[in-house]
Amino acid sequence: MTQNHSNFKRLTNETAITLAKKLGLVNADASLKCNEIGDGNLNYVFHITDTVTNKGLIIKQAVPYAKVLGESWPLTLKRAAIEANALIHFRSYCPEFVPQVYYSDEQLAITVMEDLSHLKIVRTGLIDGDSYPLLSQHIGEYVAKTAFYTSDYHLEPSSKKEVARHFTNPELCKITEVFIFTDPFFEELPGDFEVELKDAAQKIWNDQEVILEVAKLKQSFETEQEALLHGDLHTGSIFASKTETKVIDPEFAFYGPVGFDLGQYTANLLFQAVTRNGAGKEEIFTLLHEFWNVFEETYTKLWEVQNKSPFRHVKGYLPYLLTKFKKDAFGFAGCELIRRTIGLSHVADLNVIGDKETRIAAKTATLEIGTFLIKKREELDVPAVIEALKQRTLP
Ligand code: SR1
Ligand code: MG
């Protein structure tokens, strides 16, 4: 469906300030400065600060194409409204982990929201060696609550379907279907990797067992509607400090398999585990354990207290579901590890490694672990994943 963009206008630093004043979100006579700080792939982000009080706000604007891919990849502006609505939804379940939306405009594709500049993007923080003692507890709770409260176990099934209708997000899902689940697994499709990784990539393309399992995972992503997902829950979508955590950027939100959010976060911790040795690696293992423990504990508590299904007490039902989430998550994590290594959208965790031999070793390990997770997901648990990581140390 084509979208009418006649009311759309790209913001500049100046018009962003004018808009903030017009909305009454800052004083009309305040002395303000504005910087475009967007470093993501799809949008522009304006940070407005009052130079006297230092208080700020964020105006995020989507453009009618993927910023990183250029105008050759047109993209709906509706994603801004999906993002604003998803933030509002998720915040209603987890106010402490989601920024506040002050205003949104579907025509201009903007979302005005809480300034989080006192926090740091977690991917950057982890690369810098910062530690986040509460991060995984917060994200475990966030995923459990959003997964449970938006599911058929909490919402009346017809209300759930109505919510799902509002979060139909075919264009952003297509990015995931192509970038995560398709291109990286076929030699003839677009990819991006150093020549030294060709043999490792070839091994994946030739492995029919991997390709079959990826086909199953892609089908699950495309067809299952378990809960409202964030849809892009990597460490670049999380702002945090030692004590505070906020999940941002849910423009990929849609109804999908719970394991997808779980798997994205898991995979993005694994990038760090691969790049580290010794105590640094152990720190990531702790984050992994805490994430899965808190997710399962919180989900279990919600199930016991708030589940309305007549089946809730059926012996084995909850364990069946938790096991399904985990198997799916490991498979999705494997796809994420592989696509960020030989696909079109890389991660800084691996690319910042300056020494070529070490970088190639890290990327090769990432591809091997990705393959292992996809193939063995049915029989794995967190300790087994950690054991596999322990066996790979960098030169
Ligand atoms: C064209 S967008 C590439 C990637 O960036 C986003 O954050 C998603 O992860 C997407 O796959
Ligand atoms: Mg994003």
Side-chain angles (χ1 to χ4, degrees):
M1 203 201 303
T2 51
Q3 230 192 335
N4 179 4
H5 297 145
S6 55
N7 291 328
F8 177 79
K9 208 163 186 253
R10 273 270 311 274
L11 288 177
T12 61
N13 289 345
E14 290 70 34
T15 56
I17 288 180
T18 307
L19 179 68
K21 287 188 173 175
K22 195 173 133 202
L23 293 172
L25 294 168
V26 291
N27 282 335
D29 54 0
S31 151
L32 302 171
K33 67 173 184 194
C34 179
N35 293 314
E36 200 285 306
I37 54 164
D39 62 355
N41 291 328
L42 303 178
N43 307 296
Y44 291 86
V45 180
F46 298 89
H47 180 211
I48 298 176
T49 329
D50 184 317
T51 58
V52 178
T53 63
N54 248 341
K55 285 199 175 132
L57 57 84
I58 292 293
I59 303 183
K60 182 168 175 181
Q61 185 175 42
V63 288
Y65 51 87
K67 193 175 94 181
V68 69
L69 301 169
E71 306 201 15
S72 65
W73 188 298
L75 213 49
T76 176
L77 289 178
K78 198 177 164 238
R79 69 186 191 275
I82 289 195
E83 172 165 349
N85 286 336
L87 286 170
I88 292 165
H89 249 75
F90 292 143
R91 191 174 155 89
S92 74
Y93 301 124
C94 305
E96 61 279 51
F97 305 134
V98 182
Q100 190 178 353
V101 172
Y102 301 132
Y103 174 82
S104 65
D105 180 318
E106 192 163 347
Q107 300 293 319
L108 279 176
I110 57 166
T111 308
V112 185
M113 64 185 122
E114 190 180 342
D115 179 16
L116 300 173
S117 56
H118 61 293
L119 307 175
K120 196 165 171 179
I121 285 290
V122 167
R123 189 184 307 287
T124 313
L126 290 173
I127 292 170
D128 293 347
D130 299 347
S131 53
Y132 292 103
L134 298 179
L135 175 70
S136 276
Q137 294 172 39
H138 290 169
I139 299 297
E141 189 180 328
Y142 165 88
V143 179
K145 285 185 171 168
T146 55
F148 179 81
Y149 283 125
T150 63
S151 74
D152 290 294
Y153 307 116
H154 179 68
L155 297 176
E156 202 276 312
S158 52
S159 319
K160 186 205 104 170
K161 289 179 185 68
E162 190 55 27
V163 180
R165 202 169 63 77
H166 287 288
F167 285 99
T168 306
N169 198 354
E171 294 190 33
L172 280 284
C173 284
K174 183 180 169 189
I175 291 183
T176 304
E177 286 150 13
V178 172
F179 278 56
I180 301 189
F181 292 113
T182 311
D183 283 358
F185 298 97
F186 294 91
E187 181 170 10
E188 64 278 17
L189 295 180
D192 177 21
F193 53 84
E194 287 143 297
V195 63
E196 292 81 357
L197 290 171
K198 182 77 193 260
D199 287 351
Q202 195 77 55
K203 214 167 158 190
I204 293 172
W205 300 327
N206 291 343
D207 188 335
Q208 287 312 299
E209 193 190 337
V210 177
I211 307 301
L212 172 61
E213 294 311 313
V214 172
K216 293 180 194 169
L217 289 158
K218 184 179 180 188
Q219 182 188 329
S220 149
F221 178 87
E222 288 170 337
T223 59
E224 293 186 33
Q225 299 212 324
E226 290 176 336
L228 180 62
L229 306 187
H230 177 283
D232 198 24
L233 192 55
H234 55 78
T235 47
S237 298
I238 306 170
F239 266 115
S241 66
K242 284 204 185 320
T243 54
E244 202 182 342
T245 305
K246 300 277 186 201
V247 178
I248 59 162
D249 274 4
E251 69 206 303
F252 284 75
F254 78 113
Y255 260 80
V258 167
F260 190 71
D261 277 356
L262 292 163
Q264 293 275 94
Y265 181 69
T266 298
N268 281 270
L269 288 182
L270 294 181
F271 288 122
Q272 274 299 309
V274 164
T275 63
R276 297 172 179 213
N277 285 329
K281 212 179 186 82
E282 289 298 328
E283 209 172 299
I284 300 297
F285 294 156
T286 304
L287 286 177
L288 269 173
H289 272 300
E290 284 173 352
F291 171 60
W292 280 96
N293 288 342
V294 172
F295 168 74
E296 292 189 349
E297 277 164 25
T298 311
Y299 197 93
T300 300
K301 219 170 275 164
L302 292 170
W303 178 279
E304 283 164 356
V305 179
Q306 306 220 30
N307 191 343
K308 297 173 182 156
S309 162
F311 291 93
R312 66 190 176 280
H313 298 308
V314 173
K315 197 165 177 277
Y317 191 14
L318 176 63
Y320 154 78
L321 208 59
L322 292 175
T323 305
K324 178 195 183 293
F325 292 162
K326 198 180 284 178
K327 288 176 187 173
D328 290 352
F330 289 153
F332 293 134
C335 297
E336 170 75 353
L337 289 171
I338 291 173
R339 75 96 171 211
R340 297 286 193 186
T341 313
I342 57 173
L344 289 182
S345 179
H346 286 196
V347 283
D349 311 61
L350 300 173
N351 279 353
V352 293
I353 303 173
D355 177 67
K356 191 163 187 178
E357 192 197 339
T358 314
R359 188 173 64 251
I360 296 298
K363 290 188 175 185
T364 306
T366 304
L367 293 175
E368 286 169 7
I369 289 158
T371 304
F372 171 74
L373 289 176
I374 290 170
K375 289 211 254 192
K376 302 282 178 206
R377 66 186 188 283
E378 299 280 336
E379 62 212 57
L380 288 176
D381 55 13
V382 175
V385 173
I386 288 177
E387 201 40 55
L389 265 292
K390 276 189 181 157
Q391 284 163 18
R392 289 170 173 85
T393 47
L394 293 186

